[in-house]
Amino acid sequence: MGADTPIYTLENIFYAAIAQQKAVAVWRLPLEQQVQLCVSLQQNYINGQPNLENSSPGFLFSPFIPGEEQPTVFIKADLTYTSETGRLQYSRDVDRSQQQEFSDVLAISQNYNWHLNEVQQHAEQTESGFKYAVTEAVRSINKGAMEKVVLSRTASRKLPASFDLVTAFNAMLDAYPKAFVSLVSVPGVGTWLGASPEILVSIDQQQIFRTVALAGTQPAIDGESVGNAIWRQKEIEEQGMVERYILSCFKRLRLREYSEVGPRTIVAGNLMHLRTDFSVDMKEVDFPTLGTDMLQLLHPTSAVCGLPKEPALNFILAHEGYNRSYYSGYLGPVNSSAGTHLYVNLRCMQLLKDQVILYAGAGITAESDAEKEWQETQHKMQTMGKILSDFN
């Protein structure tokens, strides 16, 4: 790469992709400094069931339930950028004319906002509606129909006049160093910003597979040690259910060589959770498709859906009152220089033209109280709400 290769900012590349109507993803892995970006120059982004092992490098963005309105999207890494170098790199199959076209747009420095969802109708779950659904869920659980169900809701907020998307992304990098911070913008599909604490499937450069059981929530108190956290039986049991589900997935694959650490208390933004980490050294097990197989078994996880999966999912579809879209789906880089890292799309917001939709959910068990579950969703929405309030 020549010394005269141009140096760009994240803002330059992001808005050039928007101007050219290209799909773009920006992310930073937990506890890392480097921000990465990829842009697809393809006309089609729709992807079927992902095959992680044979995939081209890129970024996956999948909804809670894939369908025609919310497809699984694959943003092929035709061009990549890292904050470390500030330089663009094109993949081998991008021809000179495509490179020149993108460079020409880069030369025109403008803010082009972001890609919008073509379907702009968004139902919003009311407080009374959410609490009623929780009460019905507890009744259903006590009748033995299921063990747990995760119910979620939305809240819309007007975008502050001074809001800038790349500035908001950078603010999230500073505010949530331990989270997977992401910005995804796809023509016709929409734009999402998030800071997720939850790994779904991760395979690093050393071929170590990882997933986590993350559940149970309480507010984090500034200056308070996590060692002083006191968990109710309800949260302990909720987290135990997620653990058991992951173990059942290993069992279905007849995989016995794994390590398990936890549960332990972790802080994610303004909240504390219980977390257990699972890992598998893929160099020591004959399981080359472990990532794809576990992705198929895990999603949607019991942490965002419930147990057993089928009755919990049916209950959500019947009682939640809105379409989750990409909330509680998964997203992340595939076969990047740092490996494959898919996270559950939590603590996120969807950007519309002049407002945003915030999302949050709570795990409902037999011991759940409707008022406390509503308050839990309020606490979770503060993660994204704080980013918005910084612009007021």
Side-chain angles (χ1 to χ4, degrees), residues 28 40 104 109 124 136 152 231 236 245 298 312 327 350 377:
R28 188 216 56 202
S40 172
D104 291 344
S109 181
E124 193 166 313
E136 288 298 298
S152 68
W231 294 96
I236 294 169
Y245 183 72
L298 286 173
Y327 166 69
Q350 181 183 10
T377 62

Side-chain angles (χ1 to χ4, degrees), residues 238-255:
E238 185 186 347
Q239 201 269 344
M241 288 180 190
V242 181
E243 273 190 43
R244 291 194 293 274
Y245 183 72
I246 291 174
L247 292 172
S248 74
C249 292
F250 285 152
K251 190 173 181 181
R252 285 177 65 179
L253 296 175
R254 295 183 172 84
L255 179 69

Side-chain angles (χ1 to χ4, degrees), residues 29-30 49-50 52 60-64 180 196-203 208-214 242 245-246 249-250 275-279 290-305 309 328-333 340-346:
L29 294 172
Q49 179 60 47
L52 303 181
L60 262 177
F61 187 49
S62 189
F64 178 58
F180 175 75
S196 175
E198 185 170 348
I199 298 169
L200 181 60
V201 165
S202 172
I203 302 169
I208 304 297
F209 168 93
R210 289 183 174 86
T211 190
V212 303
L214 187 78
V242 181
Y245 183 72
I246 291 174
C249 292
F250 285 152
R275 168 170 163 162
T276 300
D277 289 75
F278 296 89
S279 62
L290 181 61
T292 295
D293 293 342
M294 283 296 287
L295 177 61
Q296 291 177 356
L297 290 173
L298 286 173
H299 180 71
T301 70
S302 53
V304 298
C305 181
K309 187 181 289 190
S328 70
Y330 58 85
L331 74 174
T340 293
H341 303 280
L342 301 179
Y343 283 74
V344 183
N345 194 20
L346 302 173

Side-chain angles (χ1 to χ4, degrees), residues 2 4 41 47 71 85 115 175 179 184 192 206 234 252 300 309 319:
D4 59 346
L41 302 178
N47 193 61
T85 66
H115 297 311
V184 182
W192 291 69
Q206 287 74 44
K234 185 257 182 189
R252 285 177 65 179
K309 187 181 289 190
H319 293 86

Side-chain angles (χ1 to χ4, degrees), residues 136-386:
E136 288 298 298
V138 172
R139 185 177 292 126
S140 183
I141 290 167
N142 285 328
K143 286 181 179 178
M146 53 190 173
E147 291 180 69
K148 169 194 172 181
V149 64
V150 180
L151 292 176
S152 68
R153 68 179 186 91
T154 62
S156 60
R157 299 277 189 275
K158 186 171 175 58
L159 267 178
S162 61
F163 181 82
D164 178 81
L165 184 51
V166 175
T167 302
F169 175 81
N170 286 327
M172 285 170 54
L173 297 179
D174 293 336
Y176 307 113
K178 297 179 182 178
F180 175 75
V181 178
S182 62
L183 165 58
V184 182
S185 193
V186 180
V189 172
T191 299
W192 291 69
L193 189 63
S196 175
E198 185 170 348
I199 298 169
L200 181 60
V201 165
S202 172
I203 302 169
D204 65 17
Q205 295 146 306
Q206 287 74 44
Q207 288 294 290
I208 304 297
F209 168 93
R210 289 183 174 86
T211 190
V212 303
L214 187 78
T217 302
Q218 61 176 289
I221 301 169
D222 285 342
E224 187 75 19
S225 167
V226 294
N228 295 330
I230 298 172
W231 294 96
R232 296 179 301 161
Q233 185 61 34
K234 185 257 182 189
E235 284 100 3
I236 294 169
E237 181 55 29
E238 185 186 347
Q239 201 269 344
M241 288 180 190
V242 181
E243 273 190 43
R244 291 194 293 274
Y245 183 72
I246 291 174
L247 292 172
S248 74
C249 292
F250 285 152
K251 190 173 181 181
R252 285 177 65 179
L253 296 175
R254 295 183 172 84
L255 179 69
R256 297 181 181 85
E257 298 83 8
Y258 60 85
S259 69
E260 177 181 351
V261 178
R264 56 198 172 90
T265 301
I266 60 114
V267 175
N270 60 329
L271 300 170
M272 291 193 295
H273 305 285
L274 284 167
R275 168 170 163 162
T276 300
D277 289 75
F278 296 89
S279 62
V280 178
D281 189 337
M282 294 177 65
K283 299 185 296 296
E284 296 180 0
V285 297
D286 185 21
F287 225 116
T289 61
L290 181 61
T292 295
D293 293 342
M294 283 296 287
L295 177 61
Q296 291 177 356
L297 290 173
L298 286 173
H299 180 71
T301 70
S302 53
V304 298
C305 181
L307 282 172
K309 187 181 289 190
E310 190 172 341
L313 182 56
N314 289 337
F315 188 91
I316 288 168
L317 297 176
H319 293 86
E320 206 163 59
Y322 81 103
N323 185 334
R324 288 188 184 186
S325 185
Y326 289 87
Y327 166 69
S328 70
Y330 58 85
L331 74 174
V334 175
N335 292 334
S336 72
S337 58
T340 293
H341 303 280
L342 301 179
Y343 283 74
V344 183
N345 194 20
L346 302 173
R347 314 292 190 275
C348 61
M349 60 182 168
Q350 181 183 10
L351 287 102
L352 307 183
K353 187 175 182 180
D354 52 12
Q355 63 176 332
V356 298
I357 309 296
L358 305 179
Y359 295 80
I364 313 304
T365 65
E367 293 79 31
S368 288
D369 173 81
E371 175 61 31
K372 287 179 180 175
E373 303 302 344
W374 172 262
Q375 290 302 325
E376 181 174 318
T377 62
Q378 293 280 72
H379 286 306
K380 287 177 175 175
M381 284 183 178
Q382 287 175 10
T383 301
M384 292 293 101
K386 182 182 182 301

